[in-house]
Amino acid sequence: MKRLRIGLQGVGKIARDQHIPALRGSDAFELVACASRNATVEGVANFHDLAAMLEGRPDLDAVSVCTPPQAHYEAVKMALKAGKHVFLEKPPCTTLREFEELVALARVANRTLFQTWHSRYAKAVAPARAWLKDRTLRGGRVLWKENVRQWHPGQSWIWAAGGFGVFDPGINAISILTEIAPAPVFVRSAMLQVPSNCQSPIAADITFVTDAGAAIVAEFDFREEGHQIWTIELSTDAGVLELKNGGADLTINGKEIAVPDEAEEYPRLYGRFADLIRAGACDVDARPFQLVTDAFFVGARRLVEPFED
Ligand code: NAP
């Protein structure tokens, strides 16, 4: 079958680490163009920005938006209006109103919008969801602690307004939690620690609750220089489930559970994107983003020492 021609906007860390390798190994897509203000990619047509790429390669079927969230709304809008299917990196945009508008635009344009939560494609997430489906949630703990200097070197956008700060990785945890929890979760309270020279938090403690009163306490921290931790632990009427290493490993009642040997996250994401395009469907889920905006809205703020990269 003929491969879909795709162009990529934003040649930064995630494009190089994941998107370009996944697309180069894809049977469904052919990477034919890239748009970046500073970078070029070998073997494809390179453009300075998205508008130039859309004009220069009118034969594109799809666009993958890999820029920071502050640039997502304009890019997705432009690509949809040009009649392209869109793969959108997380976090989807910077306001909920923008999110709704993008979903409506995709509908009007009759194009696929795949608004991705890549962490949901980690290997142990689907088995965790299946095990939790019929359980009663009693409580839980989420620890998402990493070294921002190691994972986001020089990314000043993360500290700017709309940059999410520690919620940039934290929203990955929330995307898994909303996928696997057998009941809806809500933000009860939050404490955000914001460096005095930044607009976005470097650490956050959040308490999520279910309607039945189960509390899930989350600790997000960008200052972890030792062992990096991406763990979700949920207590249920049938025992404790633990997802470790960002959703790659699963333990139930202390016993390691073998998980299916799936492909890595990004090849699976592009496989899903191709399926959605073929089916004429969209895949969007606002819940992780809503919970982050709720945490910002109800959260107390404490200024902490300035952050220097
Ligand atoms: P990055 O390395 O800072 O790269 C961002 C890219 O977008 C660069 O090509 C950059 O500049 C371009 N860009 C930056 N600001 C822009 C703007 N205002 N308008 C247009 N283009 C802009 O960031 P990243 O780590 O790749 O992250 C990008 C997105 O992927 C974020 O939403 C992030 O949450 C998500 N993500 C990142 C990771 C990760 O491990 N880093 C993992 C999963 C998802 P040029 O135009 O100069 O090239």
Side-chain angles (χ1 to χ4, degrees):
M1 208 173 68
K2 195 168 161 297
R3 289 191 295 167
L4 295 157
R5 287 173 297 257
I6 191 164
L8 196 147
Q9 193 217 1
V11 184
K13 186 170 188 309
I14 196 60
R16 290 193 185 283
D17 288 356
Q18 298 292 344
H19 289 258
I20 295 172
L23 285 168
R24 292 216 151 125
S26 169
D27 294 332
F29 292 97
E30 182 189 3
L31 179 64
V32 298
C34 288
S36 167
R37 297 166 304 187
N38 299 298
T40 55
V41 173
E42 223 176 287
V44 305
N46 288 282
F47 299 92
H48 179 263
D49 54 40
L50 178 59
M53 183 168 78
L54 292 170
E55 198 183 319
R57 288 299 303 244
D59 59 332
L60 288 179
D61 300 297
V63 169
S64 203
V65 175
C66 307
T67 54
Q70 293 98 329
H72 285 179
Y73 176 69
E74 289 302 331
V76 177
K77 189 171 69 168
M78 188 182 290
L80 286 172
K81 285 192 168 178
K84 311 305 173 192
H85 303 293
V86 176
F87 179 118
L88 175 57
E89 254 302 347
K90 49 71 49 171
C93 39
T94 54
T95 69
L96 283 167
R97 187 66 199 92
E98 286 179 350
F99 187 100
E100 281 184 359
E101 188 63 14
L102 291 180
V103 176
L105 280 170
R107 204 170 296 127
V108 170
N110 197 21
R111 285 292 173 269
T112 291
L113 172 60
F114 183 24
Q115 175 267 308
T116 61
W117 297 114
H118 68 86
S119 292
R120 288 180 173 175
Y121 289 75
K123 288 176 186 166
V125 171
R129 178 191 164 104
W131 189 83
L132 285 163
K133 191 163 94 39
D134 300 316
R135 317 284 177 202
T136 301
L137 199 55
R138 295 203 166 136
R141 203 160 64 116
V142 178
L143 299 178
W144 226 254
K145 300 186 177 198
E146 63 180 51
N147 182 351
V148 68
R149 292 186 176 89
Q150 179 182 345
W151 300 101
H152 302 278
Q155 296 186 346
S156 55
W157 59 266
I158 227 164
W159 302 111
F164 285 77
V166 76
F167 285 89
D168 180 79
I171 203 168
N172 297 339
I174 298 174
S175 75
I176 297 176
L177 181 64
T178 46
E179 177 77 356
I180 65 173
V185 298
F186 302 89
V187 174
R188 163 70 56 79
S189 62
M191 166 59 79
L192 315 181
Q193 296 183 43
V194 183
S196 57
N197 59 344
C198 299
Q199 299 297 321
S200 298
I202 196 164
D205 295 329
I206 308 124
T207 301
F208 298 100
V209 286
T210 66
D211 275 341
I216 300 154
V217 177
E219 293 174 33
F220 298 159
D221 204 322
F222 249 161
R223 300 166 299 193
E224 181 57 64
E225 289 181 1
H227 180 59
Q228 309 286 286
I229 310 169
W230 300 283
T231 299
I232 297 176
E233 186 186 293
L234 296 176
S235 302
T236 75
D237 56 333
V240 178
L241 174 146
E242 204 177 357
L243 262 180
K244 295 182 194 164
N245 299 322
D249 299 315
L250 178 62
T251 306
I252 295 175
N253 292 323
K255 188 167 164 267
E256 276 179 31
I257 306 294
V259 295
D261 192 21
E262 302 276 9
E264 296 298 321
E265 291 175 16
Y266 278 78
R268 291 183 70 201
L269 284 161
Y270 276 103
R272 169 91 177 131
F273 188 35
D275 290 345
L276 288 166
I277 292 171
R278 279 188 216 108
C282 288
D283 184 348
V284 299
D285 180 6
R287 291 174 300 162
F289 186 32
Q290 289 167 337
L291 289 168
V292 170
T293 58
D294 289 350
F296 271 75
F297 195 68
V298 303
R301 277 170 182 68
R302 185 152 61 83
L303 282 187
V304 296
E305 62 182 37
F307 174 79
E308 306 301 340
D309 206 354

